[in-house]
Amino acid sequence: MRTHTAACRGFILGTWVKAIGRALDAAGCNGAALMAEAGFNFHDLDGPNARCSIAKAALLWRIAAAATGDPAFGIKVASHIKHTSFHALGYGLSASSTLKEAFERVRRYCYVVSDAVDYRFFKCGADYQFIIEPMAGVPFESVDALVGAYLRMCRSLLGRNHSPLLIELRRPPPDVLDDFHRLLRAPLKFGAEHNRLTFDAESIERPLDGGNPELARHSDAIANQYLARVDRHNVEARVRKVLAQRLEGNEPSQEEVAELLNVSARTLQRKLGEGGTTFKEILDETRQTLALAYLSEPQYSVSDVTYLLGFSCASSFTRAFRRWTGRSPSDWRVGSAFRGATASNAQPMPGPVSARP
């Protein structure tokens, strides 16, 4: 589990706050007035990058719960969350090749939406578990909305009748359960140790008809750019940004990256450890993301990509790429059936844009 200091925590995208306003309107309340009561100006939330504090959003949740008197209001907010409410992450989720890939994408890029919630996703015996871990002060209605949103994601990808094996919520049981059963359509447990969704392995690992690896890779690249740009306190994102800028022709050491971030190597190691990761893991993940993006661009040869990712030789790159994908770079490129028209409309990739001189 990743943990972060208080200075790094506590924002949510404005697009999610606007979804609460729309749900209030749908419930027969004056969404704009109630948002103003919580200190929000609807126009201040315009734009895909608008953010607000978790404390302010928590106040809105309390006001909304009191105004609607609906114990299932949080779950109902999920139906008012738009595709772009997840920023670039939303497109990556829709383009995932399996639900396993989608939930791993949530875990990796969740801070695009909010830095107040962490996730764990892993296989346990014959099943998979997806655990939602909010920071202190996040209302349980907000967790209800997340559960509803991820169920809607699953059903949009696998079919409207799909349900997890079990949904566990830390919140106390509501007085009225009818809407919880109607909307979630899965066995429920309240007062649980974790907010947890349990899925059968076949559903999680089943290939999805709408999987689009190329679109997913570009969404990941945009998500990485966003994290590096807006969250300067996120050490992991800052390391990814430095690596993307410095990989060309050379593999930066942890000491070199620490110096560029104006911290000691020991401090960097400690901060990354507090976040549940290591410099080596971030380097590997950054290379993998960039490798897939570069190989989707026909102007880069495998030799170019080897250089751009800082590998000492082609054989080292090929070994790493086989570990990531199970195929060689050349075989993967042929199998990906690159479509130049799609790439021409995509956002630019992070890191260097010119190949080796």
Side-chain angles (χ1 to χ4, degrees):
M1 181 188 74
R2 286 180 289 181
T3 59
H4 292 261
T5 61
C8 301
R9 309 290 300 262
F11 82 84
I12 189 170
L13 281 178
T15 48
W16 279 68
V17 177
K18 294 177 79 169
I20 301 174
R22 290 192 293 271
L24 284 168
D25 289 336
C29 301
N30 187 329
L34 292 174
M35 290 179 67
E37 184 179 337
F40 288 108
N41 181 324
F42 212 78
H43 296 296
D44 291 342
L45 300 174
D46 286 341
N49 298 324
R51 302 191 298 171
C52 63
S53 73
I54 284 296
K56 205 170 180 180
L59 174 59
L60 178 59
W61 276 115
R62 290 194 292 271
I63 291 171
T68 62
D70 183 356
F73 177 73
I75 297 174
K76 294 175 183 177
V77 167
S79 65
H80 297 275
I81 293 172
K82 298 182 178 180
H83 191 66
T84 53
S85 296
F86 289 87
H87 202 274
L89 176 58
Y91 292 94
L93 298 180
S94 296
S96 296
S97 297
T98 61
L99 278 182
K100 179 175 183 283
E101 182 181 312
F103 280 119
E104 288 174 342
R105 192 161 269 121
V106 170
R107 181 191 59 80
R108 181 175 295 180
Y109 297 112
C110 60
Y111 290 169
V112 167
V113 178
S114 174
D115 63 352
V117 182
D118 283 306
Y119 297 90
R120 284 190 284 159
F121 177 68
F122 53 91
K123 192 170 186 180
C124 183
D127 305 323
Y128 280 88
Q129 296 187 4
F130 178 65
I131 297 179
I132 302 171
E133 298 180 318
M135 66 180 281
V138 174
F140 55 69
E141 292 90 352
S142 182
V143 175
D144 291 346
L146 288 171
V147 170
Y150 292 123
L151 279 186
R152 288 174 66 85
M153 176 194 77
C154 293
R155 289 166 180 163
S156 70
L157 296 175
L158 277 183
R160 64 186 304 272
N161 293 322
H162 175 76
S163 290
L165 299 174
L166 176 67
I167 297 175
E168 299 171 84
L169 297 170
R170 294 185 64 185
R171 59 162 294 163
D175 295 332
V176 181
L177 286 170
D178 293 359
D179 284 341
F180 280 81
H181 289 303
R182 179 178 63 85
L183 296 170
L184 298 180
R185 305 199 310 272
L188 297 175
K189 178 182 177 181
F190 294 94
E193 182 181 1
H194 298 289
N195 301 299
R196 173 165 44 200
L197 283 69
T198 301
F199 297 90
D200 64 283
E202 190 279 329
S203 296
I204 288 293
E205 296 174 353
R206 184 192 313 168
L208 299 172
D209 291 339
N212 187 326
E214 184 179 355
L215 176 59
R217 289 192 300 275
H218 283 291
S219 297
D220 290 349
I222 296 169
N224 273 318
Q225 288 177 320
Y226 177 87
L227 287 173
R229 184 174 70 249
V230 305
D231 195 358
R232 295 181 180 178
H233 295 293
N234 185 332
V235 174
E236 182 178 338
R238 293 171 66 198
V239 170
R240 290 182 189 276
K241 181 177 181 179
V242 170
L243 287 173
Q245 294 172 337
R246 298 279 177 162
L247 275 172
E248 184 172 351
N250 176 57
E251 178 182 311
S253 67
Q254 181 169 305
E255 290 73 17
E256 291 170 332
V257 172
E259 183 177 357
L260 290 167
L261 295 178
N262 296 313
V263 297
S264 69
R266 176 174 292 185
T267 297
L268 178 59
Q269 182 177 349
R270 175 178 57 79
K271 287 182 176 292
L272 293 176
E274 290 172 351
T277 189
T278 65
F279 178 83
K280 184 177 179 180
E281 289 174 349
I282 296 173
L283 173 62
D284 193 60
E285 290 176 1
T286 301
R287 277 175 156 168
Q288 180 181 0
T289 298
L290 291 174
L292 296 175
Y294 284 132
L295 288 172
S296 296
E297 304 287 345
Q299 68 267 32
Y300 296 121
S301 68
V302 173
S303 178
D304 289 334
V305 179
T306 298
Y307 178 81
L308 290 169
L309 298 182
F311 285 97
S312 59
C313 60
S315 60
S316 296
F317 172 48
T318 298
R319 282 195 300 271
F321 198 87
R322 284 189 183 277
R323 175 166 51 81
W324 298 328
T325 68
R327 291 191 285 176
S328 70
S330 299
D331 288 344
W332 182 91
R333 169 170 266 172
V334 172
S336 70
F338 170 77
R339 294 176 177 84
T342 303
S344 67
N345 292 324
Q347 292 285 341
M349 296 179 296
V353 294
S354 61
R356 173 177 33 161

